[in-house]
Amino acid sequence: MACATAHHPGTPNLESKSLEVVCSSYVLGYCQFHEGCPMRETHCIHLIDETPSTPPNAPSKCRNILSLEPRKAPYSIETCFDSDGPGILSSVKDARHDNDHVLIQDIRILPTTDEILSLRRPYMPTKAHNQTHHLPAGPDRHLDIAFRQLRYENVEPLIDICHHAMQQLVISRTQPHLLDYQFGVETAQRRRYSLLRNAAFEELLFHEYKGVMVRLSFNCPRALQGGRIHRSGLFEEGMLCALVGLHDETDELSTTFFEVHLRESTDAMKNRTGNHTRAAIQLSFADRHDIPSIRRCASYMHRLIKATFVLVDLPNVLLAGFALHLDRLQKLALDPNFAFSSQIAPREPSKVVPILPPKYATELNFRYNLQDLRAEKNDKATFTMQPTQHTSNNDESQSTIKAILARTSLDQGQAVALYENLNRGLGMTQGPPGTGKTFLGVAFAQVILASQSKAKPQPILIASQTNRACDDFLLDLSKKGITKIARLGGASKVEWVKPHLLRELTSKMRLTTIERHDVNVARRQVDHLARDGLGWAEALCKDMLGWHSLKDHIRTHHAKIYNHFASLETIDSDTTDLRRTKRYSGFAYEFWVSGGDIKDVNALLEVLDTLLGHCEVSNRSASSSSQFKEQIFAAVKCNTRVATAIASGDQIWSLSLEERHCLVNQWIQELNPWKVCEAFAELHRRHQAALSRKKQAHLAIDARCLAQQQIIGLTSTGVAQNWDLLNSLKLRTLITEEASECLESHTICSLFSSIEHALFIGDPLQLRPQVTEMALSTENSAEYRLDESLFERMMFSQSEFPVSKLNVQRRMHPEIADLSRAGDYDYLVDHELTTLNPPVVGMADRMYWLDHKHQEDRPDPRSPMSNSHSNRFEVEFCAAMVRYLIERNGYSLGEIVILTPYNGQLAALAARLRETCSILLSDKDREALIDLDLLPADSNLGCAKASLDLDKMLRIVTVDNFQGEEAKVIIFSAVRSNMLGKVGFLKTRNRINVACSRARDGFYVLGNASLIGGVEHWAKRIEEPAFELAALAIPSEHSRYSSQNNFNKSLLAHFFASRIFLVVINVARSVIQSTCTAMDVYCAQHHVRRACRVVILAHENVARSVEAAPLNYPLSYFPVVIRKSLRVLRLLQTKSSIAGYRSRRRSYLAGMSRTLYARKSYKPTRAMSSVVLFSLVTTCVSNRVLFALYKALTRDARAYAAQVLSVVIAVEPSATMANVRHVKSAVRSPVNIVAASSHVLAYAIRVR
């Protein structure tokens, strides 16, 4: 057991004092008067003396204590959360911990130590209007729910990991033999992290922008020593980590969260530690306004508090990813005046609030300008539209929609959506896959920009969930001639975006005099405080304190000595900037401490010259800089003559170096160390306040730049980060792409109070926003629904809310689009151009489902794969199919995508296919694999670099990271195949919609149809007539024949190649699972609910051939049709041996094929079937030619070719090199031509 309170002196600080007694400049973080301030006797100078001389002895009251029992996950949703009110409103009338408050603005975003230790269920309100809540219905309640759910989603993993780390820290006291480091530590809730014991404070630092920082060292394992730590994925720059401390005397626990600034290897730390065993990291405080934590860390560094520490690496936790939105929600709660709050969060949920046209569209004589949408360049007629509140069903609206259809390139659904949403202040458009959502969004922007008043133009805000979607949208706008585009955020990787970045645009602006003055003043304030902070940091790390640390104490208790040092720094009014900047103050003290003599003026000036350095003086011209220094040196020489007389009376300059150090040590002893820590923390607070003023100065410049643009594009995170800047622009129009993938809490942050027209485009029937806490997901609970976007909630929860629907798809071939129509998009219409999508070369069908019964892998529960699923059989099948499409049919790797729902299968596919081709993984998939330890952190597998040709890389991606994208050929690996009937992610309707709507030309599914077909939304698609269901007999891995090569793996590749028949015959009949009465064949006809669509060879013919034919059987055993085809084969092979065809190659066979086709002694169908067979046997003709020949056959001819191939494959034994040599000799003998052909075919299939 251990107490949970953090140990720090509870001293008053400047923030708690009233503004009446504090200088306003000082409050803002900068004092321009310094020693000349008239208020110094009352407050500013003596702030440090108000600090208690000792820390509080009585520890604060502990609410919670640490339990060493595992912090297990709840068994159900009902036991996960508490609904009896927050804070003191709970049923026990007591808060759960010190961060459990009634108002969300009082809650700290990052968890406190007491919150981590608390084992009571957290309060979590539901979205249901009829549920009790401490706030009435309306915007306040809506923001409260959004904040608490979003915070739990992001903070719960931190609480779980830090709680486990605290347990490990306490256990290490009783078990000192534990290793100093543990990687891949797993909590009871299966969250993984890394733990490093024996962490120690090395140094306090002060950063120009981040303020106080710390350098922590730790014992580095041998595997990470040297530069290897930079490739380990440990403590990535910008990621969150935690320092957990245990007080050596009071057993109090503390938790401090940091952001990683820099990693330092053991080589870099050798000069500090003297060995190669310790590495270090530089950390900045995650909450830079957490003054108590800064004060506590300063106390640790000053050795005022002794504690034991462990360092916790929180993998892939980016503070900005959630803290910005949470902070904005807290501020919105103070004034919940976001746009369309009456529709989004009505105070009377049962009351329907009408959707009116945007306010700007109601101005007198306003009309929408549709000129830029005209399809014909010669169309010079005026094209405008009058805003109206009418629906699209009346005659006037229909007339306008017909005009839009006639004069633009918009289709029916887009035209209706354009008309409806231009007349709605809050407009939502649902766009099924491939219906042109981005195209419509660009049209919205064109119309709104063209309709604005030229006197008062307003930029349009474009928000998206991902950087890629935002960049694609902006690119489409630029192609339409919209050039005034500003891109906020630095995460874009697209080259064309760089000139449009905000920092590039502002760098080309000419600043006004006021702007330049404000920026320079703010910059100087930050620089001065940063220099002071650096001096304080050095003082806390050394035994000898500097002037900035001691001057207040000397001024108060040794005024005569202080005045003596200060007199040397007095400069005349013409050079007062030397004193004001404080950059050079203290040079006399530094000269005295180093043993200098006041009479040695030249040495004193050398110290001053060093302090002048390369700062503001170096910014002047050479002549001006020289003149400036001469003025300063002249003033110092004059002061020195005066100081010499003072020194002779005071004798401080006559002291020896040892005596001077003793005097300084006496001052240090007189100075209370707690005061030093408090002053250092206060300096950090003032520095952060100065940074805020600097940001405001730059904000005015950025706002003037953005106001001149037409489009402002950024992500939803960028909106929260730049909220103040965007709010100052008073934007009126918002267009949100991927609206259905954006959390509602994120969307609310983009609804500025000035927004009059908000347009949301997306598809709630595709992927929802991704959440990690499944207790809040829609699938597990209909009460919380954190992953429900605002779009989805408004569309389905409020049935009367109007939503436009796009209905014409331009991506998928109609046969593939039938899969979407069989699901949720029965209204989907195919554009006429989709019928021109070419067929997949080498495939007889555009899509089919390869049904198999091969069980999914069973990983070790202790391995990283235990958190996901994989199927080795499907991995090999995907590899065979990719190789076939690439090598034989001319596809590039960039035209094929392998899609799978599981990270485990993603890792298995990447590991298998990296042996044969270049792999491309999305950034999110790479991070997920690294997080699960399925991919090394230093691996460059799947990295998308600008220098690489993406068309030459095979993309393997999870379904969740492929929405909005497409490919010519999609291979979908379903993975799940088990005896328990579990389908996992495959049951989610949204994922099914995405998986079945990405392919343009071909879509091929590998999976257990009988298992997955139990899901309603899959069953509808499997029953589609265009979806071939191919059954395949596969030896079970537990079969007694599994060790024998009875089922040739090369037949898998051949199965894709031929696709002439839907029956695959296995020679080992004991593992064949068919029930055909005429033969032992695994037939698709008996394993689906409908008849096979391809005509198959009559059962009795195959049965007679398989059952009776010996290895070297005569030709008479075959039916007459097959006999004639084989005679043609004999003719071909007697005229062209296997060796001969290689020399003549394709030209010989092409001519022979034409000759056979033209001969009157053979019917074309028979001759062509023989050509198909011969092409497969010799592999002389490419699969493109083969496919063309096959398509030219009549239906009967395809059946004949199927007969020939079925019989030859059925009697073919396992081929060996001896068989191949036998083929070369046997092919010369017409007697053994049939037997030889089977061997040749087997060899051909293998070498392919």
Side-chain angles (χ1 to χ4, degrees):
M1 299 293 192
C3 186
T5 54
H7 192 114
H8 59 81
T11 57
N13 55 54
L14 199 59
E15 294 178 315
S16 63
K17 296 182 179 295
S18 62
L19 294 179
E20 288 74 13
V21 298
V22 180
C23 173
S24 59
S25 295
Y26 194 82
V27 171
L28 292 173
Y30 173 69
C31 180
Q32 59 181 335
F33 299 103
H34 298 297
E35 291 81 357
C37 176
M39 301 183 69
R40 71 177 187 270
E41 295 302 327
T42 60
H43 177 71
C44 295
I45 300 300
H46 299 288
L47 171 69
I48 194 170
D49 294 328
E50 298 177 7
T51 307
S53 59
T54 58
N57 293 323
S60 57
K61 181 182 178 180
C62 294
R63 288 182 181 273
N64 298 285
I65 58 176
L66 178 67
S67 171
L68 297 183
E69 294 295 324
R71 187 176 183 271
K72 297 181 180 179
Y75 293 102
S76 63
I77 301 298
E78 290 74 16
T79 61
C80 188
F81 301 119
D82 200 349
S83 59
D84 63 349
I88 59 175
L89 299 180
S90 65
S91 57
V92 296
K93 303 300 181 183
D94 188 22
R96 298 163 180 82
H97 45 75
D98 61 1
N99 202 29
D100 183 22
H101 301 288
V102 175
L103 300 178
I104 61 172
Q105 50 265 41
D106 296 332
I107 299 176
R108 293 181 59 181
I109 293 176
L110 290 172
T112 63
T113 302
D114 195 39
E115 183 178 7
I116 294 171
L117 293 172
S118 176
L119 296 180
R120 284 181 61 185
R121 293 179 298 169
Y123 168 69
M124 188 60 59
T126 67
K127 286 187 176 182
H129 294 296
N130 56 358
Q131 295 293 324
T132 57
H133 195 280
H134 63 283
L135 294 173
D140 293 302
R141 177 174 177 174
H142 198 74
L143 291 172
D144 181 271
I145 296 172
F147 176 85
R148 294 183 189 275
Q149 290 190 358
L150 184 62
R151 183 177 183 273
Y152 181 85
E153 157 76 8
N154 293 280
V155 170
E156 173 60 20
L158 307 184
I159 294 176
D160 185 40
I161 290 175
C162 290
H163 188 275
H164 190 269
M166 288 178 177
Q167 293 175 328
Q168 298 300 309
L169 174 59
V170 173
I171 291 174
S172 63
R173 274 193 170 183
T174 59
Q175 301 180 17
H177 62 280
L178 293 175
L179 292 175
D180 289 335
Y181 43 83
Q182 285 181 269
F183 303 120
V185 184
E186 196 169 82
T187 69
Q189 299 184 27
R190 309 197 71 177
R191 294 186 175 95
R192 300 168 66 86
Y193 69 98
S194 296
L195 181 73
L196 294 103
R197 297 182 177 88
N198 198 20
F201 281 84
E202 291 287 338
E203 187 178 10
L204 285 176
L205 309 168
F206 204 95
H207 191 267
E208 181 181 2
Y209 300 110
K210 299 180 179 180
V212 176
M213 294 174 50
V214 299
R215 176 185 279 115
L216 293 177
S217 67
F218 54 89
N219 285 338
C220 184
R222 184 182 298 273
L224 299 181
Q225 292 179 3
R228 286 170 293 195
I229 191 173
H230 299 295
R231 302 185 297 272
S232 65
L234 196 66
F235 298 114
E236 292 282 352
E237 182 179 349
M239 295 301 169
L240 204 65
C241 68
L243 181 71
V244 179
L246 179 61
H247 198 288
D248 289 346
E249 298 177 359
T250 63
D251 287 344
E252 294 180 349
L253 286 163
S254 64
T255 309
T256 311
F257 290 96
F258 295 96
E259 286 184 291
V260 179
H261 176 70
L262 183 68
R263 289 178 295 196
E264 296 180 319
S265 66
T266 52
D267 294 336
M269 289 294 294
K270 183 179 180 182
N271 293 333
R272 294 178 176 273
T273 61
N275 56 57
H276 282 284
T277 60
R278 290 187 74 82
I281 50 175
Q282 294 182 21
L283 304 172
S284 62
F285 286 86
D287 183 1
R288 293 170 193 166
H289 301 290
D290 186 5
I291 302 301
S293 292
I294 297 173
R295 189 186 299 121
R296 183 174 64 249
C297 288
S299 303
Y300 288 145
M301 186 65 215
H302 216 51
R303 298 179 182 84
L304 301 177
I305 302 176
K306 295 182 179 180
T308 305
F309 303 101
V310 292
L311 196 56
V312 182
D313 179 40
L314 303 168
N316 298 325
V317 179
L318 186 64
L319 181 65
F322 63 92
L324 292 171
H325 291 102
L326 290 172
D327 179 68
R328 181 48 49 194
L329 290 173
Q330 286 180 317
K331 292 176 180 177
L332 283 175
L334 298 173
D335 182 20
N337 185 27
F338 55 89
F340 307 105
S341 58
S342 58
Q343 287 90 2
I344 295 173
R347 299 186 185 278
E348 298 180 24
S350 59
K351 183 179 179 180
V352 178
V353 181
I355 304 297
L356 302 176
K359 185 177 179 181
Y360 68 81
T362 60
E363 297 175 0
L364 185 64
N365 298 326
F366 179 86
R367 294 183 69 88
Y368 283 112
N369 187 347
L370 278 63
Q371 300 284 112
D372 293 341
L373 300 184
R374 292 173 297 183
E376 298 294 335
K377 296 181 180 179
N378 299 327
D379 186 359
K380 303 298 182 181
T382 303
F383 193 17
T384 61
M385 188 185 85
Q386 176 69 42
T388 178
Q389 296 185 29
H390 300 303
T391 63
S392 58
N393 297 326
N394 60 61
D395 294 338
E396 181 183 352
S397 302
Q398 287 297 321
S399 176
T400 305
I401 292 173
K402 288 180 181 179
I404 295 174
L405 280 171
R407 301 182 63 180
T408 69
S409 58
L410 300 177
D411 58 43
Q412 176 68 31
Q414 292 169 340
V416 173
L418 179 74
Y419 175 85
E420 292 178 342
N421 287 277
L422 288 178
N423 291 315
R424 296 171 183 162
L426 180 59
M428 296 187 176
T429 303
Q430 180 194 6
T435 52
K437 294 185 287 293
T438 302
F439 183 80
L440 178 64
V442 172
F444 281 135
Q446 287 181 278
V447 173
I448 295 172
L449 287 175
S451 305
Q452 290 182 351
S453 170
K454 295 182 179 180
K456 296 181 179 179
Q458 280 279 349
I460 298 175
L461 182 64
I462 306 295
S464 183
Q465 181 65 15
T466 63
N467 283 290
R468 179 171 181 173
C470 182
D471 292 338
D472 290 344
F473 194 99
L474 297 181
L475 179 61
D476 290 342
L477 286 171
S478 65
K479 292 178 180 178
K480 296 295 183 180
I482 300 174
T483 57
K484 293 184 178 181
I485 298 174
R487 176 69 161 91
L488 274 63
S492 176
K493 299 179 182 179
V494 185
E495 191 67 27
W496 75 268
V497 170
K498 291 183 179 180
H500 299 280
L501 294 175
L502 179 59
R503 60 175 178 269
E504 295 292 332
L505 296 174
T506 54
S507 65
K508 299 175 183 178
M509 290 180 57
R510 187 180 184 87
L511 303 184
T512 65
T513 303
I514 296 177
E515 289 172 343
R516 188 180 297 106
H517 173 267
D518 291 344
V519 169
N520 289 335
V521 170
R523 177 181 56 81
R524 285 198 297 267
Q525 293 172 1
V526 173
D527 291 345
H528 299 159
L529 289 168
R531 294 187 189 109
D532 281 355
L534 186 60
W536 275 96
E538 292 175 354
L540 288 171
C541 299
K542 298 179 181 178
D543 295 333
M544 187 68 69
L545 297 183
W547 173 251
H548 294 297
S549 306
L550 291 173
K551 67 176 182 179
D552 288 342
H553 176 76
I554 297 174
R555 176 169 46 195
T556 303
H557 301 284
H558 307 279
K560 187 176 182 181
I561 296 177
Y562 174 85
N563 292 331
H564 176 72
F565 286 130
S567 65
L568 291 173
E569 300 178 1
T570 302
I571 311 297
D572 58 37
S573 58
D574 294 334
T575 54
T576 52
D577 58 339
L578 179 67
R579 292 294 310 278
R580 278 185 147 187
T581 61
K582 299 203 306 179
R583 170 64 176 88
Y584 324 108
S585 61
F587 72 88
Y589 170 82
E590 297 296 338
F591 181 67
W592 176 79
V593 169
S594 63
D597 188 353
I598 187 65
K599 298 178 181 180
D600 190 353
V601 179
N602 292 331
L604 177 62
L605 293 179
E606 287 181 6
V607 174
L608 175 59
D609 187 52
T610 301
L611 290 175
L612 290 176
H614 301 283
C615 192
E616 297 179 4
V617 175
S618 62
N619 294 331
R620 302 166 178 261
S621 62
S623 59
S624 177
S625 176
S626 176
Q627 184 180 2
F628 180 70
K629 285 187 177 182
E630 289 177 1
Q631 293 177 358
I632 295 175
F633 289 167
V636 171
K637 288 180 181 179
C638 180
N639 295 336
T640 303
R641 288 193 295 269
V642 177
T644 302
I646 298 177
S648 61
D650 194 60
Q651 298 298 321
I652 62 170
W653 288 97
S654 61
L655 296 176
S656 65
L657 180 62
E658 182 178 357
E659 291 172 331
R660 295 180 187 186
H661 286 179
C662 289
L663 182 59
V664 172
N665 289 331
Q666 177 185 339
W667 294 338
I668 295 174
Q669 293 296 326
E670 295 172 356
L671 184 64
N672 192 315
W674 296 103
K675 296 178 181 179
V676 175
C677 296
E678 171 65 23
F680 187 52
E682 174 59 25
L683 181 63
H684 170 86
R685 189 203 62 77
R686 295 175 59 196
H687 176 263
Q688 293 301 304
L691 276 176
S692 178
R693 292 188 63 185
K694 182 179 179 181
K695 181 179 178 181
Q696 290 297 320
H698 283 283
L699 186 144
I701 300 172
D702 294 341
R704 184 165 67 88
C705 175
L706 293 178
Q708 301 171 6
Q709 308 303 316
Q710 294 174 297
I711 299 293
I712 301 173
L714 71 175
T715 61
S716 59
T717 301
V719 171
Q721 186 174 10
N722 298 277
W723 197 92
D724 292 327
L725 171 61
L726 297 172
N727 188 51
S728 67
L729 297 175
K730 302 301 178 183
L731 300 169
R732 296 191 303 183
T733 307
L734 166 69
I735 300 177
T736 302
E737 264 269 282
E738 298 180 335
S740 59
E741 293 186 68
C742 187
L743 289 169
E744 183 170 357
S745 53
H746 293 189
T747 303
I748 291 175
C749 293
S750 64
L751 291 173
F752 303 96
S753 59
S754 60
I755 294 292
E756 301 174 4
H757 200 181
L759 299 172
F760 296 98
I761 307 172
D763 185 8
L765 295 178
Q766 295 190 65
L767 293 182
R768 292 189 175 100
Q770 296 184 19
V771 296
T772 56
E773 293 301 316
M774 301 311 295
L776 295 175
S777 68
T778 305
E779 293 182 21
N780 290 341
S781 174
E783 296 180 341
Y784 301 104
R785 307 192 308 276
L786 172 63
D787 57 347
E788 180 185 57
S789 64
L790 174 65
F791 197 149
E792 182 177 3
R793 184 175 66 84
M794 299 294 286
M795 180 175 175
F796 295 111
S797 298
Q798 301 183 19
S799 57
E800 299 186 26
F801 189 87
V803 176
S804 303
K805 293 185 179 181
L806 305 183
N807 63 343
V808 181
Q809 71 89 17
R810 292 172 167 81
R811 173 188 298 163
M812 302 167 282
H813 187 275
E815 291 183 6
I816 302 176
D818 286 341
L819 299 181
S820 296
R821 279 186 282 269
D824 296 311
Y825 307 106
D826 54 354
Y827 56 87
L828 200 61
V829 178
D830 301 318
H831 192 276
E832 57 185 11
L833 294 179
T834 59
T835 60
L836 302 180
N837 287 8
V840 179
V841 181
M843 298 292 184
D845 300 295
R846 289 186 180 274
M847 57 181 185
Y848 60 78
W849 184 304
L850 180 64
D851 181 19
H852 70 85
K853 300 296 186 292
H854 201 284
Q855 298 290 296
E856 63 193 54
D857 301 333
R858 299 177 179 83
D860 187 339
R862 297 168 296 179
S863 71
M865 287 292 291
S866 62
N867 295 325
S868 190
H869 300 276
S870 62
N871 192 309
R872 177 56 56 182
F873 168 74
E874 292 185 11
V875 169
E876 295 298 329
F877 222 126
C878 287
M881 186 172 185
V882 169
R883 183 176 180 183
Y884 167 73
L885 291 173
I886 299 301
E887 296 181 359
R888 294 292 175 181
N889 297 286
Y891 282 96
S892 65
L893 289 170
E895 295 174 324
I896 304 171
V897 169
I898 301 179
L899 206 58
T900 182
Y902 290 99
N903 286 321
Q905 186 75 343
L906 181 75
L909 285 165
R912 171 65 178 84
L913 288 163
R914 69 183 300 182
E915 303 171 359
T916 56
C917 58
S918 300
I919 301 299
L920 175 63
L921 301 177
S922 69
D923 293 339
K924 289 185 178 179
D925 282 335
R926 285 193 81 254
E927 292 174 2
L929 295 185
I930 293 173
D931 187 31
L932 293 172
D933 291 338
L934 300 178
L935 187 69
D938 58 347
S939 172
N940 59 0
L941 176 65
C943 292
K945 300 180 180 178
S947 58
L948 298 178
D949 186 358
L950 300 186
D951 288 338
K952 297 181 179 179
M953 302 183 74
L954 174 67
R955 186 164 186 188
I956 309 174
V957 62
T958 55
V959 176
D960 288 359
N961 292 321
F962 201 59
Q963 179 162 325
E965 302 186 52
E966 61 182 47
K968 285 188 176 181
V969 179
I970 296 289
I971 306 172
F972 179 69
S973 175
V975 181
R976 301 309 299 267
S977 179
N978 54 72
M979 303 299 294
L980 301 177
K982 294 183 178 180
V983 294
F985 287 156
L986 295 175
K987 66 183 178 182
T988 308
R989 180 178 68 174
N990 304 65
R991 288 190 175 94
I992 298 173
N993 288 336
V994 173
C996 295
S997 60
R998 304 298 102 195
R1000 290 178 55 86
D1001 302 338
F1003 180 54
Y1004 305 102
V1005 181
L1006 288 73
N1008 188 331
S1010 60
L1011 172 65
I1012 301 172
V1015 178
E1016 178 186 359
H1017 296 286
W1018 277 117
K1020 293 178 181 179
R1021 290 164 171 83
I1022 293 176
E1023 293 172 358
E1024 273 299 300
F1027 210 164
E1028 293 286 356
L1029 187 62
L1032 184 61
I1034 306 298
S1036 170
E1037 59 185 341
H1038 302 294
S1039 170
R1040 60 190 181 94
Y1041 293 96
S1042 60
S1043 61
Q1044 303 177 16
N1045 191 21
N1046 291 323
F1047 183 78
N1048 195 333
K1049 289 185 179 181
S1050 64
L1051 287 180
L1052 303 181
H1054 176 67
F1055 177 78
F1056 292 110
S1058 64
R1059 287 300 294 138
I1060 297 174
F1061 54 97
L1062 291 179
V1063 178
V1064 175
I1065 301 175
N1066 196 308
V1067 178
R1069 300 192 182 107
S1070 358
V1071 295
I1072 294 177
Q1073 305 171 24
S1074 170
T1075 57
C1076 284
T1077 57
M1079 60 176 184
D1080 289 333
V1081 174
Y1082 188 30
C1083 179
Q1085 178 178 348
H1086 298 88
H1087 292 270
V1088 294
R1089 289 181 287 275
R1090 54 185 174 76
C1092 298
R1093 297 182 62 246
V1094 177
V1095 178
I1096 306 299
L1097 175 64
H1099 288 177
E1100 59 272 18
N1101 292 338
V1102 174
R1104 186 167 69 249
S1105 300
V1106 172
E1107 297 291 345
L1111 179 62
N1112 296 319
Y1113 50 89
L1115 215 58
S1116 59
Y1117 266 95
F1118 289 98
V1120 62
V1121 174
I1122 301 178
R1123 205 158 54 231
K1124 290 182 178 180
S1125 297
L1126 291 179
R1127 286 198 181 106
V1128 177
L1129 173 64
R1130 180 185 301 178
L1131 175 63
L1132 287 172
Q1133 291 195 329
T1134 53
K1135 291 188 175 182
S1136 174
S1137 66
I1138 295 299
Y1141 102 87
R1142 296 187 183 279
S1143 61
R1144 297 172 179 81
R1145 296 186 180 274
R1146 300 184 180 182
S1147 60
Y1148 181 90
L1149 183 65
M1152 184 62 69
S1153 300
R1154 287 193 295 270
T1155 302
L1156 283 171
Y1157 193 86
R1159 287 181 64 172
K1160 300 187 182 301
S1161 58
Y1162 295 100
K1163 293 182 179 180
T1165 55
R1166 313 286 171 77
M1168 287 303 295
S1169 64
S1170 300
V1171 171
V1172 172
L1173 175 60
F1174 184 79
S1175 300
L1176 284 174
V1177 171
T1178 60
T1179 68
C1180 184
V1181 174
S1182 69
N1183 284 327
R1184 287 182 180 271
V1185 176
L1186 173 62
F1187 183 77
L1189 291 172
Y1190 171 70
K1191 295 297 285 186
L1193 295 178
T1194 64
R1195 181 173 181 178
D1196 291 338
R1198 297 186 189 184
Y1200 299 155
Q1203 294 176 32
V1204 176
L1205 291 172
S1206 299
V1207 173
V1208 174
I1209 294 175
V1211 299
E1212 185 269 321
S1214 299
T1216 62
M1217 290 306 298
N1219 297 136
V1220 174
R1221 287 193 296 269
H1222 174 66
V1223 167
K1224 292 183 178 180
S1225 59
V1227 77
R1228 298 185 178 90
S1229 173
V1231 177
N1232 297 325
I1233 188 63
V1234 176
S1237 64
S1238 64
H1239 291 296
V1240 174
L1241 178 60
Y1243 176 72
I1245 292 173
R1246 278 180 169 76
V1247 298
R1248 293 186 102 158

